[in-house]
Amino acid sequence: MHLVHQRGPLHDLPDTPEAYDAVLADVVEQALARLTPEGNLEHPDCVDDIGDTSLGITSLLALAWQRSKDPRLPEAVRRSLAFHLRERVYREDNPGYPNLRIRNSGLPYARYTLAAGAHPVGDWPSTVWALLQAVNLLDTTDNLVDDEQRAELLDVARGYWRWLTEATFFNPQEAGNQAIGCVVGGLMLARHLPDAESEPVRALALRLYAEKIRAHRVADRGALLPPEHGGAYDNNYGPISLSFLAQAHRVSGEEVFAEDGDTLARYIDARLTGGGFDNGGPRYSEQHSAFESVLGLRYFGARIGSDLGRYRGDSRWARHAAKADGGVDGHFAWMLVWQIQDTTPWHREPSTRPARHQLRAGTVSVAFDSRMTPAVVEAGGTYYLPAAVNRQHGFGPVADGFVFCRPMGEVRVRDLRADGLTAKLVTKPVVGRDHVLRHVRSLYVTDGTTLWTTVAVERLPEDAYLLAGLPYAADDGDRVRRTAGGAVASAGPLRLTHPQEQGPEHFDARAELLQEQAAFALAEDPRGYGNPDEGWRHLISSTALEAAPIADAPDDLHVFAVQYGSAEPYTVEAAWAEEGLTLRTAAFTAVIGEADEHGEPELSLRA
């Protein structure tokens, strides 16, 4: 069983001018075969997200004409543009639309679904998308359409902007990608307006970004991020927001978009495994964007010097939106236009700078959450998620049913590279149910192939074990498949346990069930609207790796040691020495020393 949406890394797609010309040539042939006598270019199966789609195909035809001068295209562009202006521009309020500030404004907008009153809440983003398709056409239709049609398109685009910023509440779905997209639309529109109109539109776009988006950023893993449907980041929409920030910087030159894009890019780089797997978010759990993310990942990957293109996209939308039959859909077409226009090359090498919330070397990576608990462990091509026990989730020591992974105080981190090894030491003060403060010292060491995790904590009750993860997925060529195991060993006894109870609150990795499906089953609202991250937090138990402590440890400590990426026998010796706690394995010797004058833990390492 494969994960549905996560497929090949996005930077594996050819992005030469010739490759993009081939993509456009395919779109042209599909569009010309589909074009109705009325000028409609919508996919026959399109129902939702339809209000901008014919116009999106038109914008791709205009770009193709710019590059190829195909003589068949001018007439198709004029006819299809006329169709949108005649049939897909609405000026009467949509019955039931809840977010109007001004009723009966007469301003134009686009509908998410064409039928009056049918799912009107999608009209705000659909109008943003229609504005972006329109400004792209304004950019590419010089000498392609007559002055009258061009003037009508400009008037509609101006009206879309006013509807989005005057007639409705701004960003009513609290979706950062939609809001930044609206700002981009205003910035691009301003370039086509007379001077007297241009500057106020540009100024309003920048003010909306500063006051309605940037001022409401949400903190996660040490970064301030544009809010996405009530959360800090969504693994589908987050990279799309990055693309909007890239385009905002490209068209405006405003440094704020570059700074915020760099922040979001470094955040994505830290949470993304080396293999490109990620999950989580307030709207989607495992669903990934594809061509919509290319611009941002490529643009900001080059800026921060990291291989963000390793992000696994959905190859069914590798070049453009597509329906089940593979046929082109005009939804989000402006992203394909922008990525063709932008010539930034992919940066394909990992960043060499240490990141607090990431450990990465070779084919091994650990992405940490805000509490510096692993969110995803990757080794040997297998991905491990935090396991659940007694409604508690994480990686860490367990005693009397209590998981010692939630810090009560400042978390200290020390990064180190030595002798071809990469290491991270995480020290957490943790309070158990007995109200005793303990220091959990977790050392992560990798040679780029195998990950060794050693956890030391003041002596716990005798039933203590280490909750060492939920084996969940594994690389399978260009796909990711579900799994219930992996190459793991422990210096103490190791067991793989499964939930004793059944039901949505108990996740058994042996079942043909995706984390995404399980998370939405526990969410409070319907799929697509509920928060799967919140739903997943209701999980009571899961499949879990449980490692018993090693026998050769100081009397005052419990020490646990797990090896990921290899099932070969693994031994660890732990002992106090003058320099501190010494850990010896066949691969390395590490010394966790006393804190320095700033309270930071000392760490030494040698192969």
Side-chain angles (χ1 to χ4, degrees), residues 396-400 402-412 426-442 455-465 555-560:
V398 179
D400 296 330
F402 183 84
V403 183
F404 289 80
C405 69
R406 292 170 298 281
M408 180 64 72
E410 192 65 27
V411 179
R412 310 284 184 146
V426 177
T427 303
K428 292 184 187 181
V430 176
V431 174
R433 289 200 172 106
D434 58 4
H435 291 201
V436 173
L437 180 69
R438 291 176 171 87
H439 295 84
V440 178
R441 285 160 286 192
S442 302
V455 179
V457 62
E458 288 88 351
R459 177 65 59 167
L460 294 165
E462 290 307 313
D463 65 346
Y465 65 91
D555 292 340
D556 58 339
L557 294 179
H558 265 120
V559 177
F560 310 89

Side-chain angles (χ1 to χ4, degrees), residues 385-406 433 463-470 495 497-501 505-507 536-547:
L385 302 180
V389 58
N390 292 342
R391 299 184 185 273
Q392 302 163 87
H393 300 196
F395 287 75
V398 179
D400 296 330
F402 183 84
V403 183
F404 289 80
C405 69
R406 292 170 298 281
R433 289 200 172 106
D463 65 346
Y465 65 91
L466 182 73
L467 192 64
L470 156 66
R495 57 186 178 265
T497 65
H498 302 286
Q500 298 299 305
E501 300 179 60
E505 298 88 359
H506 307 277
F507 187 84
W536 187 252
R537 292 188 189 107
H538 293 302
L539 202 67
I540 296 174
S541 65
S542 74
T543 292
L545 287 163
E546 300 177 355

